[in-house]
Amino acid sequence: ACAFQDKIIAELNPSSSAVFVKSMIIYIIASALTVTVCPQFGIGPIGGGAGILGFVMKYGHFACGAFCGAFFLSGSALLTAIFMNRAQKRVVEKHYFGFFVPVALLLLTALIIISNIVNGSNPHLHPEFISAWILSGVLFSIAFFRVVSRLEAR
């Protein structure tokens, strides 16, 4: 009975690291799907070109970074919210910025490294692009996560 009780307690109180690892797995899968339709730092899309958000590029680095970050990160956050149970969502909700900022920085680093390996260079390494990408990505991720959590709580 004690082992069963411990399992229930663990399920109701997941560790931050376990939740982070689960979310990173979801983010990696969702990110791979995202770059098939919208390029990120020179990676993707299928068939080349600017993908579905190509129209934004003409508005400059800040606008492009904001749209790309929001699209890339918030779609993954939406899937993370869908595939997490209520206890796991509570862990994220306690530390929104402490959760989504490290995710954004890890994925940004991965995209830059992959782009350098694949392309030999890295487009969009402008401070305004990167800051807009992180800021919009984190803010939209929090918003999408909150919306899904609130809808499921009803």
Side-chain angles (χ1 to χ4, degrees):
C2 190
F4 180 71
Q5 207 172 23
D6 291 343
K7 183 172 171 51
I8 290 173
I9 290 170
E11 287 285 324
L12 293 174
N13 300 297
S15 70
S16 296
S17 59
V19 171
F20 189 79
V21 168
K22 179 179 181 176
S23 70
M24 285 308 299
I25 292 167
I26 295 168
Y27 264 86
I28 290 167
I29 294 166
S31 298
L33 295 172
T34 301
V35 296
T36 65
V37 295
C38 182
Q40 298 290 325
F41 295 91
I43 303 167
I46 292 176
I52 64 171
L53 294 178
F55 70 93
V56 179
M57 290 180 173
K58 65 182 173 187
Y59 296 105
H61 295 300
F62 190 84
C64 187
F67 277 99
C68 288
F71 182 79
F72 185 77
L73 293 170
S74 64
S76 300
L78 181 69
L79 290 175
T80 300
I82 290 169
F83 288 108
M84 282 188 168
N85 64 36
R86 189 71 221 133
Q88 293 165 334
K89 286 180 188 154
R90 275 195 314 271
V91 171
V92 174
E93 289 165 353
K94 281 189 214 173
H95 314 283
Y96 279 125
F97 286 99
F99 180 83
F100 288 109
V101 170
V103 167
L105 293 174
L106 283 170
L107 290 171
L108 173 67
T109 303
L111 286 168
I112 290 170
I113 291 168
I114 293 167
S115 181
N116 279 325
I117 292 169
V118 171
N119 300 318
S121 66
N122 204 315
H124 307 300
L125 283 183
H126 308 282
E128 61 272 12
F129 182 90
I130 291 173
S131 59
W133 192 91
I134 292 170
L135 182 64
S136 69
V138 169
L139 293 178
F140 276 88
S141 292
I142 291 170
F144 279 40
F145 194 91
R146 290 183 74 175
V147 166
V148 171
S149 292
R150 298 296 183 268
L151 289 173
E152 287 180 349
R154 291 182 180 202

